[in-house]
PDB file of all heavy atoms in Angstrom:
ATOM      1  N   ILE D 295       4.352  -7.371  27.114  1.00 98.00           N
ATOM      2  CA  ILE D 295       4.669  -6.145  26.367  1.00 98.00           C
ATOM      3  C   ILE D 295       6.118  -6.245  25.923  1.00 98.00           C
ATOM      4  O   ILE D 295       7.005  -6.519  26.718  1.00 98.00           O
ATOM      5  CB  ILE D 295       4.413  -4.869  27.209  1.00 98.00           C
ATOM      6  CG1 ILE D 295       4.791  -3.616  26.407  1.00 98.00           C
ATOM      7  CG2 ILE D 295       5.129  -4.903  28.540  1.00 98.00           C
ATOM      8  CD1 ILE D 295       4.348  -2.298  27.047  1.00 98.00           C
ATOM      9  N   TRP D 296       6.328  -6.088  24.584  1.00 98.00           N
ATOM     10  CA  TRP D 296       7.675  -6.164  24.026  1.00 98.00           C
ATOM     11  C   TRP D 296       7.948  -4.925  23.188  1.00 98.00           C
ATOM     12  O   TRP D 296       7.088  -4.463  22.448  1.00 98.00           O
ATOM     13  CB  TRP D 296       7.809  -7.393  23.115  1.00 98.00           C
ATOM     14  CG  TRP D 296       7.594  -8.706  23.771  1.00 98.00           C
ATOM     15  CD1 TRP D 296       8.437  -9.348  24.629  1.00 98.00           C
ATOM     16  CD2 TRP D 296       6.464  -9.583  23.612  1.00 98.00           C
ATOM     17  NE1 TRP D 296       7.897 -10.564  25.015  1.00 98.00           N
ATOM     18  CE2 TRP D 296       6.704 -10.737  24.400  1.00 98.00           C
ATOM     19  CE3 TRP D 296       5.285  -9.528  22.870  1.00 98.00           C
ATOM     20  CZ2 TRP D 296       5.781 -11.795  24.482  1.00 98.00           C
ATOM     21  CZ3 TRP D 296       4.389 -10.576  22.950  1.00 98.00           C
ATOM     22  CH2 TRP D 296       4.633 -11.695  23.747  1.00 98.00           C
ATOM     23  N   ARG D 297       9.160  -4.425  23.276  1.00 98.00           N
ATOM     24  CA  ARG D 297       9.611  -3.328  22.420  1.00 98.00           C
ATOM     25  C   ARG D 297       9.944  -3.876  21.022  1.00 98.00           C
ATOM     26  O   ARG D 297      10.613  -4.904  20.900  1.00 98.00           O
ATOM     27  CB  ARG D 297      10.872  -2.702  23.047  1.00 98.00           C
ATOM     28  CG  ARG D 297      11.582  -1.683  22.235  1.00 98.00           C
ATOM     29  CD  ARG D 297      10.780  -0.436  21.965  1.00 98.00           C
ATOM     30  NE  ARG D 297      10.724   0.490  23.089  1.00 98.00           N
ATOM     31  CZ  ARG D 297       9.620   1.165  23.433  1.00 98.00           C
ATOM     32  NH1 ARG D 297       8.498   1.013  22.745  1.00 98.00           N
ATOM     33  NH2 ARG D 297       9.635   1.984  24.452  1.00 98.00           N
ATOM     34  N   ILE D 298       9.471  -3.207  19.978  1.00 98.00           N
ATOM     35  CA  ILE D 298       9.874  -3.543  18.610  1.00 98.00           C
ATOM     36  C   ILE D 298      11.214  -2.874  18.349  1.00 98.00           C
ATOM     37  O   ILE D 298      11.332  -1.649  18.440  1.00 98.00           O
ATOM     38  CB  ILE D 298       8.813  -3.075  17.592  1.00 98.00           C
ATOM     39  CG1 ILE D 298       7.488  -3.804  17.877  1.00 98.00           C
ATOM     40  CG2 ILE D 298       9.276  -3.312  16.168  1.00 98.00           C
ATOM     41  CD1 ILE D 298       6.323  -3.343  17.009  1.00 98.00           C
ATOM     42  N   VAL D 299      12.249  -3.672  18.039  1.00 98.00           N
ATOM     43  CA  VAL D 299      13.617  -3.151  17.971  1.00 98.00           C
ATOM     44  C   VAL D 299      13.720  -2.022  16.942  1.00 98.00           C
ATOM     45  O   VAL D 299      13.304  -2.179  15.785  1.00 98.00           O
ATOM     46  CB  VAL D 299      14.617  -4.281  17.630  1.00 98.00           C
ATOM     47  CG1 VAL D 299      16.016  -3.707  17.409  1.00 98.00           C
ATOM     48  CG2 VAL D 299      14.652  -5.301  18.760  1.00 98.00           C
ATOM     49  N   GLY D 300      14.255  -0.897  17.370  1.00 98.00           N
ATOM     50  CA  GLY D 300      14.498   0.233  16.477  1.00 98.00           C
ATOM     51  C   GLY D 300      13.313   1.161  16.297  1.00 98.00           C
ATOM     52  O   GLY D 300      13.400   2.146  15.572  1.00 98.00           O
ATOM     53  N   GLU D 301      12.178   0.858  16.932  1.00 98.00           N
ATOM     54  CA  GLU D 301      10.985   1.678  16.743  1.00 98.00           C
ATOM     55  C   GLU D 301      10.406   2.113  18.095  1.00 98.00           C
ATOM     56  O   GLU D 301      10.597   1.451  19.100  1.00 98.00           O
ATOM     57  CB  GLU D 301       9.908   0.896  15.960  1.00 98.00           C
ATOM     58  CG  GLU D 301      10.436   0.336  14.647  1.00 98.00           C
ATOM     59  CD  GLU D 301       9.362  -0.251  13.753  1.00 98.00           C
ATOM     60  OE1 GLU D 301       8.250   0.303  13.706  1.00 98.00           O
ATOM     61  OE2 GLU D 301       9.640  -1.267  13.096  1.00 98.00           O
ATOM     62  N   TYR D 302       9.713   3.233  18.107  1.00 98.00           N
ATOM     63  CA  TYR D 302       8.989   3.675  19.300  1.00 98.00           C
ATOM     64  C   TYR D 302       7.619   3.011  19.227  1.00 98.00           C
ATOM     65  O   TYR D 302       6.614   3.644  18.903  1.00 98.00           O
ATOM     66  CB  TYR D 302       8.880   5.192  19.328  1.00 98.00           C
ATOM     67  CG  TYR D 302       8.476   5.775  20.673  1.00 98.00           C
ATOM     68  CD1 TYR D 302       8.465   7.157  20.885  1.00 98.00           C
ATOM     69  CD2 TYR D 302       8.142   4.972  21.754  1.00 98.00           C
ATOM     70  CE1 TYR D 302       8.115   7.701  22.115  1.00 98.00           C
ATOM     71  CE2 TYR D 302       7.785   5.498  22.977  1.00 98.00           C
ATOM     72  CZ  TYR D 302       7.772   6.867  23.147  1.00 98.00           C
ATOM     73  OH  TYR D 302       7.414   7.391  24.379  1.00 98.00           O
ATOM     74  N   ALA D 303       7.614   1.713  19.496  1.00 98.00           N
ATOM     75  CA  ALA D 303       6.421   0.903  19.259  1.00 98.00           C
ATOM     76  C   ALA D 303       6.521  -0.358  20.108  1.00 98.00           C
ATOM     77  O   ALA D 303       7.606  -0.744  20.535  1.00 98.00           O
ATOM     78  CB  ALA D 303       6.326   0.519  17.787  1.00 98.00           C
ATOM     79  N   ASN D 304       5.383  -0.971  20.377  1.00 98.00           N
ATOM     80  CA  ASN D 304       5.411  -2.253  21.089  1.00 98.00           C
ATOM     81  C   ASN D 304       4.361  -3.206  20.532  1.00 98.00           C
ATOM     82  O   ASN D 304       3.376  -2.794  19.933  1.00 98.00           O
ATOM     83  CB  ASN D 304       5.203  -2.047  22.598  1.00 98.00           C
ATOM     84  CG  ASN D 304       3.794  -1.620  22.952  1.00 98.00           C
ATOM     85  OD1 ASN D 304       2.856  -2.413  22.867  1.00 98.00           O
ATOM     86  ND2 ASN D 304       3.615  -0.351  23.342  1.00 98.00           N
ATOM     87  N   TYR D 305       4.634  -4.504  20.716  1.00 98.00           N
ATOM     88  CA  TYR D 305       3.615  -5.531  20.579  1.00 98.00           C
ATOM     89  C   TYR D 305       3.203  -5.925  21.988  1.00 98.00           C
ATOM     90  O   TYR D 305       4.064  -6.160  22.838  1.00 98.00           O
ATOM     91  CB  TYR D 305       4.149  -6.771  19.862  1.00 98.00           C
ATOM     92  CG  TYR D 305       4.247  -6.648  18.368  1.00 98.00           C
ATOM     93  CD1 TYR D 305       5.451  -6.870  17.710  1.00 98.00           C
ATOM     94  CD2 TYR D 305       3.134  -6.358  17.594  1.00 98.00           C
ATOM     95  CE1 TYR D 305       5.540  -6.787  16.329  1.00 98.00           C
ATOM     96  CE2 TYR D 305       3.214  -6.269  16.211  1.00 98.00           C
ATOM     97  CZ  TYR D 305       4.421  -6.487  15.586  1.00 98.00           C
ATOM     98  OH  TYR D 305       4.511  -6.404  14.213  1.00 98.00           O
ATOM     99  N   SER D 306       1.898  -6.007  22.227  1.00 98.00           N
ATOM    100  CA  SER D 306       1.398  -6.402  23.534  1.00 98.00           C
ATOM    101  C   SER D 306       0.329  -7.469  23.389  1.00 98.00           C
ATOM    102  O   SER D 306      -0.310  -7.574  22.340  1.00 98.00           O
ATOM    103  CB  SER D 306       0.793  -5.185  24.273  1.00 98.00           C
ATOM    104  OG  SER D 306       1.807  -4.306  24.711  1.00 98.00           O
ATOM    105  N   ILE D 307       0.154  -8.247  24.467  1.00 98.00           N
ATOM    106  CA  ILE D 307      -0.960  -9.185  24.558  1.00 98.00           C
ATOM    107  C   ILE D 307      -1.824  -8.736  25.740  1.00 98.00           C
ATOM    108  O   ILE D 307      -1.295  -8.489  26.836  1.00 98.00           O
ATOM    109  CB  ILE D 307      -0.458 -10.633  24.786  1.00 98.00           C
ATOM    110  CG1 ILE D 307       0.517 -11.060  23.688  1.00 98.00           C
ATOM    111  CG2 ILE D 307      -1.639 -11.602  24.896  1.00 98.00           C
ATOM    112  CD1 ILE D 307      -0.075 -11.195  22.303  1.00 98.00           C
ATOM    113  N   PHE D 308      -3.133  -8.622  25.509  1.00 98.00           N
ATOM    114  CA  PHE D 308      -4.073  -8.298  26.575  1.00 98.00           C
ATOM    115  C   PHE D 308      -4.977  -9.499  26.837  1.00 98.00           C
ATOM    116  O   PHE D 308      -5.320 -10.233  25.896  1.00 98.00           O
ATOM    117  CB  PHE D 308      -4.926  -7.072  26.206  1.00 98.00           C
ATOM    118  CG  PHE D 308      -4.167  -5.781  26.335  1.00 98.00           C
ATOM    119  CD1 PHE D 308      -3.372  -5.318  25.293  1.00 98.00           C
ATOM    120  CD2 PHE D 308      -4.215  -5.043  27.510  1.00 98.00           C
ATOM    121  CE1 PHE D 308      -2.644  -4.150  25.414  1.00 98.00           C
ATOM    122  CE2 PHE D 308      -3.493  -3.867  27.643  1.00 98.00           C
ATOM    123  CZ  PHE D 308      -2.699  -3.415  26.593  1.00 98.00           C
ATOM    124  N   ASP D 309      -5.362  -9.652  28.084  1.00 98.00           N
ATOM    125  CA  ASP D 309      -6.244 -10.752  28.478  1.00 98.00           C
ATOM    126  C   ASP D 309      -7.381 -10.156  29.304  1.00 98.00           C
ATOM    127  O   ASP D 309      -7.249  -9.959  30.515  1.00 98.00           O
ATOM    128  CB  ASP D 309      -5.439 -11.780  29.293  1.00 98.00           C
ATOM    129  CG  ASP D 309      -6.273 -13.016  29.640  1.00 98.00           C
ATOM    130  OD1 ASP D 309      -7.478 -13.035  29.313  1.00 98.00           O
ATOM    131  OD2 ASP D 309      -5.705 -13.948  30.228  1.00 98.00           O
ATOM    132  N   VAL D 310      -8.490  -9.845  28.629  1.00 98.00           N
ATOM    133  CA  VAL D 310      -9.596  -9.137  29.292  1.00 98.00           C
ATOM    134  C   VAL D 310     -10.914  -9.840  28.986  1.00 98.00           C
ATOM    135  O   VAL D 310     -10.978 -10.772  28.187  1.00 98.00           O
ATOM    136  CB  VAL D 310      -9.666  -7.665  28.833  1.00 98.00           C
ATOM    137  CG1 VAL D 310      -8.414  -6.908  29.255  1.00 98.00           C
ATOM    138  CG2 VAL D 310      -9.856  -7.581  27.322  1.00 98.00           C
ATOM    139  N   ASP D 311     -11.987  -9.350  29.613  1.00 98.00           N
ATOM    140  CA  ASP D 311     -13.267 -10.058  29.514  1.00 98.00           C
ATOM    141  C   ASP D 311     -14.122  -9.653  28.310  1.00 98.00           C
ATOM    142  O   ASP D 311     -15.052 -10.386  27.947  1.00 98.00           O
ATOM    143  CB  ASP D 311     -14.080  -9.821  30.795  1.00 98.00           C
ATOM    144  CG  ASP D 311     -13.465 -10.543  31.976  1.00 98.00           C
ATOM    145  OD1 ASP D 311     -12.767 -11.564  31.758  1.00 98.00           O
ATOM    146  OD2 ASP D 311     -13.653 -10.084  33.116  1.00 98.00           O
ATOM    147  N   SER D 312     -13.841  -8.480  27.752  1.00 98.00           N
ATOM    148  CA  SER D 312     -14.734  -8.031  26.674  1.00 98.00           C
ATOM    149  C   SER D 312     -14.048  -6.960  25.823  1.00 98.00           C
ATOM    150  O   SER D 312     -13.074  -6.332  26.251  1.00 98.00           O
ATOM    151  CB  SER D 312     -16.006  -7.424  27.273  1.00 98.00           C
ATOM    152  OG  SER D 312     -15.695  -6.185  27.890  1.00 98.00           O
ATOM    153  N   HIS D 313     -14.597  -6.741  24.626  1.00 98.00           N
ATOM    154  CA  HIS D 313     -14.127  -5.662  23.761  1.00 98.00           C
ATOM    155  C   HIS D 313     -14.228  -4.316  24.478  1.00 98.00           C
ATOM    156  O   HIS D 313     -13.332  -3.480  24.379  1.00 98.00           O
ATOM    157  CB  HIS D 313     -14.999  -5.573  22.490  1.00 98.00           C
ATOM    158  CG  HIS D 313     -14.985  -6.793  21.640  1.00 98.00           C
ATOM    159  ND1 HIS D 313     -14.076  -7.818  21.792  1.00 98.00           N
ATOM    160  CD2 HIS D 313     -15.780  -7.155  20.584  1.00 98.00           C
ATOM    161  CE1 HIS D 313     -14.300  -8.735  20.883  1.00 98.00           C
ATOM    162  NE2 HIS D 313     -15.326  -8.367  20.142  1.00 98.00           N
ATOM    163  N   ASP D 314     -15.346  -4.108  25.182  1.00 98.00           N
ATOM    164  CA  ASP D 314     -15.536  -2.823  25.862  1.00 98.00           C
ATOM    165  C   ASP D 314     -14.435  -2.589  26.895  1.00 98.00           C
ATOM    166  O   ASP D 314     -13.912  -1.478  27.006  1.00 98.00           O
ATOM    167  CB  ASP D 314     -16.921  -2.778  26.537  1.00 98.00           C
ATOM    168  CG  ASP D 314     -18.040  -2.582  25.511  1.00 98.00           C
ATOM    169  OD1 ASP D 314     -17.805  -1.905  24.493  1.00 98.00           O
ATOM    170  OD2 ASP D 314     -19.145  -3.109  25.723  1.00 98.00           O
ATOM    171  N   GLU D 315     -14.098  -3.648  27.645  1.00 98.00           N
ATOM    172  CA  GLU D 315     -13.046  -3.479  28.643  1.00 98.00           C
ATOM    173  C   GLU D 315     -11.725  -3.116  27.963  1.00 98.00           C
ATOM    174  O   GLU D 315     -11.007  -2.223  28.427  1.00 98.00           O
ATOM    175  CB  GLU D 315     -12.879  -4.767  29.464  1.00 98.00           C
ATOM    176  CG  GLU D 315     -11.854  -4.579  30.580  1.00 98.00           C
ATOM    177  CD  GLU D 315     -11.630  -5.845  31.406  1.00 98.00           C
ATOM    178  OE1 GLU D 315     -12.210  -6.908  31.057  1.00 98.00           O
ATOM    179  OE2 GLU D 315     -10.855  -5.769  32.385  1.00 98.00           O
TER     180      GLU D 315
END
Side-chain angles (χ1 to χ4, degrees):
Chain D
I295 179 170
W296 299 287
R297 172 64 78 220
I298 298 175
V299 174
E301 306 189 37
Y302 195 174
N304 70 71
Y305 281 124
S306 287
I307 304 293
F308 284 85
D309 185 356
V310 296
D311 290 334
S312 70
H313 299 347
D314 285 327
E315 184 181 5

